[in-house]
Amino acid sequence: MSDLLIELHYLPCVSYFSLVSKFDRVIIVDTEKYQKQSFRNRTSVLMANKVNSLTIPVYKKGWTSVRDVKIDYHEKWLMNHWRTIQAAYGKAPFFEYYAPYFEDIFKRKYSNLFELNFEFFNLLKKCLSVSTEVVLQSCLSNSDFDMAQNFID
């Protein structure tokens, strides 16, 4: 069995899922310290003439586990992100088919960043027909996997 140890990203790119699909099992890191300026709360969207960066505002104080990072809903980022995605991909084939699934996630308010990213991860995994088993690192003992094997950041 081949394992891949990864962190959750906010709306990850296709190459992320291309890699995920090559492994039997994906172990999602959910116990480490949250790192600012990472893909955990940032993504890029290809617009007509530029690349638009989207960032989820978060609350973070000192050493915070990735599972405990709270989302800041005081800013109007939810609708901004959804409208940016609609503008960028609204005319793409099958957008009308997949849009309601994404819109549903954007309409909900998740208490923390990990939950939101995990929801998008599962949706994209399903949309791309990736059948790889997914396990949270916190649910495994150290003997269940080799930390040195296939780690990507």
Side-chain angles (χ1 to χ4, degrees):
M1 175 186 268
S2 60
D3 291 344
L4 175 66
L5 185 65
I6 61 169
E7 63 185 30
L8 281 179
H9 290 183
Y10 173 52
L11 295 172
C13 62
V14 173
S15 60
Y16 179 95
F17 282 97
S18 175
L19 184 62
V20 166
S21 69
K22 294 177 182 175
F23 289 84
D24 299 318
R25 183 172 72 168
V26 169
I27 301 167
I28 296 177
V29 176
D30 64 336
T31 56
E32 71 178 359
K33 179 183 176 196
Y34 174 77
Q35 216 173 355
K36 289 168 55 174
Q37 298 183 357
S38 68
F39 287 109
R40 288 188 175 108
N41 69 322
R42 298 169 190 261
T43 195
S44 297
V45 176
L46 184 61
M47 304 296 286
N49 298 318
K50 65 176 183 169
V51 175
N52 197 355
S53 295
L54 301 177
T55 303
I56 299 173
V58 296
Y59 295 113
K60 182 201 168 295
K61 293 180 182 177
W63 194 100
T64 306
S65 167
V66 292
R67 291 200 72 139
D68 298 328
V69 174
K70 303 291 182 201
I71 298 173
D72 181 1
Y73 286 104
H74 289 100
E75 296 181 35
K76 303 278 189 231
W77 68 271
L78 278 168
M79 289 315 299
N80 178 35
H81 286 209
W82 177 237
R83 287 186 183 134
T84 300
I85 290 168
Q86 285 178 308
Y89 304 115
K91 294 181 182 175
F94 302 104
F95 181 81
E96 289 180 10
Y97 176 78
Y98 292 107
Y101 300 108
F102 287 88
E103 187 175 22
D104 182 50
I105 293 174
F106 278 110
K107 284 183 176 179
R108 285 188 249 155
K109 287 191 175 182
Y110 293 85
S111 63
N112 64 56
L113 184 63
F114 188 86
E115 288 176 7
L116 174 68
N117 286 346
F118 196 63
E119 196 73 24
F120 276 124
F121 176 86
N122 286 325
L123 173 61
L124 290 165
K125 184 176 168 279
K126 181 179 176 183
C127 291
L128 296 170
S129 300
V130 175
S131 60
T132 305
E133 177 190 3
V134 177
V135 180
L136 297 178
Q137 182 185 13
S138 61
C139 296
L140 301 174
S141 67
N142 287 339
S143 61
D144 285 334
F145 64 94
D146 178 5
M147 291 291 275
Q149 180 185 11
N150 302 316
F151 181 81
I152 66 163
D153 191 339

